Amino acid sequence: MSKREDEGCARKRKTEAGPKSEDCTRPDSPVIAAFKVFQHELDTKHDKYERLVKISRDVTIESKRTIFLLHRVTSVPDVEEILNEADVKLDGVRQKIGQIAEELKGEDLHQFHRAFTPGIQEYVEAVSFHHFIKHRTLISLEEINARLVFMRENKGEGEVVWASPSVLTFQITPIDYLLGVADLTGELMRMCISSVGNGDIDTPFQLSGFLREIHDGFSYIGNTGPYEVSKKLHTLRQSLGKVEDACYTLRVRGSEIPKHMLADVFSSRPATHLDREDPMV
């Protein structure tokens, strides 16, 4: 075939393909209509994801403020006043979590889990810290979820409120619960050092036994659990090491060090005896 004939065939093929490509660009094309539906679904999902991220940030901020407030129990005479104030703050955090439950209504939780998991972990840390100060025990996942039940008014057309309100629930996943408890150990270590600095010698020994039980519980999971949990085992072991180091110093050298210097001594000494353990399997 000559070059001129080949060019003629190419022009013929382009002419034949022309009307088909024009059909795809028409506004009433079924392909365009299908992609518009996809665009709307993706935009809706992305907007919901961004709203959940913003709510999660608010939950994180308020939970951290609650934790900072609870650390004052080691230096104030009226512990109940601090606990009551923390209860009010935690109620506000739960209302924020109620907004997350509204956003997830009818949705797959795991599609948006990464958007709100940092805030939920911080809430678990705050509520478990509050529960430990009040009861000296670890709050269970069932107890946390039992408080995440919300009543919402059903609104019809024209903002008319229907008679029966709806019930929304939010269930914290076991992974978020474990990650929140792992972060709790760091707050308990800080509470131990603050207690010693204020002359409280009994609290470090209570915290040491409690942290050892948490550490033993996590050791059963080992490397078989979620990756995020195994990453926090190192920090957990460091916190336990510092608390045990403080208890050792109090028991052996407590009479040699002035009470107002104990906190500085403990905070400046690294805890390395747990870091030399073999990795848990």
Side-chain angles (χ1 to χ4, degrees):
M1 181 182 294
S2 65
K3 182 177 180 182
R4 183 173 299 176
E5 291 176 349
D6 185 51
E7 291 177 353
C9 292
R11 285 195 299 270
K12 184 177 181 181
R13 287 194 295 268
K14 290 180 180 179
T15 305
E16 292 176 352
K20 294 182 180 180
S21 60
E22 292 176 358
D23 292 341
C24 295
T25 58
R26 290 183 305 173
D28 57 345
S29 170
V31 177
I32 297 298
F35 272 89
K36 284 185 178 180
V37 174
F38 301 152
Q39 178 187 7
H40 178 70
E41 291 178 356
L42 290 174
D43 289 344
T44 302
K45 180 179 178 181
H46 292 161
D47 292 342
K48 186 183 293 290
Y49 192 94
E50 291 300 322
R51 290 195 299 270
L52 288 171
V53 169
K54 292 179 181 178
I55 299 173
S56 176
R57 288 172 183 166
D58 294 338
V59 172
T60 300
I61 293 172
E62 294 301 323
S63 299
K64 286 183 179 296
R65 289 174 178 171
T66 304
I67 293 172
F68 296 153
L69 173 65
L70 290 171
H71 274 296
R72 292 173 51 194
V73 298
T74 60
S75 59
V76 297
D78 191 359
V79 177
E80 287 298 326
E81 182 179 354
I82 297 296
L83 292 176
N84 293 334
E85 188 177 348
D87 270 327
V88 175
K89 287 184 175 293
L90 287 175
D91 286 338
V93 176
R94 280 187 279 269
Q95 295 304 314
K96 295 288 185 181
I97 297 177
Q99 297 178 18
I100 296 178
E102 287 184 353
E103 292 287 349
L104 295 176
K105 187 176 181 180
E107 299 284 354
D108 182 6
L109 179 144
H110 298 285
Q111 286 189 357
F112 302 94
H113 183 251
R114 291 185 63 182
F116 59 83
T117 181
I120 298 302
Q121 293 175 30
E122 200 70 32
Y123 168 73
V124 171
E125 181 181 357
V127 74
S128 58
F129 191 30
H130 177 272
H131 187 271
F132 175 80
I133 294 173
K134 196 171 185 178
H135 303 287
R136 295 304 193 207
T137 58
L138 179 64
I139 190 171
S140 65
L141 177 60
E142 291 75 17
E143 291 178 280
I144 296 177
N145 285 332
R147 292 192 173 187
L148 299 179
V149 180
F150 312 97
M151 304 296 293
R152 292 292 186 267
E153 294 180 343
N154 292 323
K155 294 184 178 181
E157 297 181 359
E159 299 296 322
V160 177
V161 180
W162 294 347
S164 59
S166 61
V167 179
L168 287 176
T169 60
F170 183 87
Q171 298 294 308
I172 294 177
T173 62
I175 295 178
D176 287 340
Y177 172 74
L178 289 175
L179 294 174
V181 172
D183 291 334
L184 169 67
T185 58
E187 303 303 331
L188 295 179
M189 181 270 296
R190 296 180 185 92
M191 181 181 178
C192 170
I193 303 303
S194 300
S195 299
V196 174
N198 291 306
D200 185 359
I201 308 301
D202 297 328
T203 298
F205 294 95
Q206 297 176 1
L207 293 174
S208 176
F210 181 72
L211 288 175
R212 173 56 68 177
E213 292 179 357
I214 293 180
H215 178 269
D216 292 344
F218 273 91
S219 66
Y220 285 109
I221 302 175
N223 294 329
T224 62
Y227 174 68
E228 295 85 355
V229 175
S230 61
K231 282 200 307 182
K232 296 199 175 186
L233 285 177
H234 177 70
T235 304
L236 190 158
R237 293 165 64 183
Q238 279 189 327
S239 300
L240 174 61
K242 290 182 180 180
V243 173
E244 290 186 336
D245 190 47
C247 293
Y248 167 81
T249 304
L250 286 173
R251 185 71 72 186
V252 177
R253 299 184 56 202
S255 59
E256 302 175 5
I257 305 174
K259 287 187 176 181
H260 67 278
M261 296 179 60
L262 286 173
D264 296 333
V265 172
F266 297 150
S267 60
S268 61
R269 292 178 61 180
T272 57
H273 59 286
L274 275 175
D275 294 339
R276 293 194 294 268
E277 289 183 359
D278 294 332
M280 291 179 291
V281 294

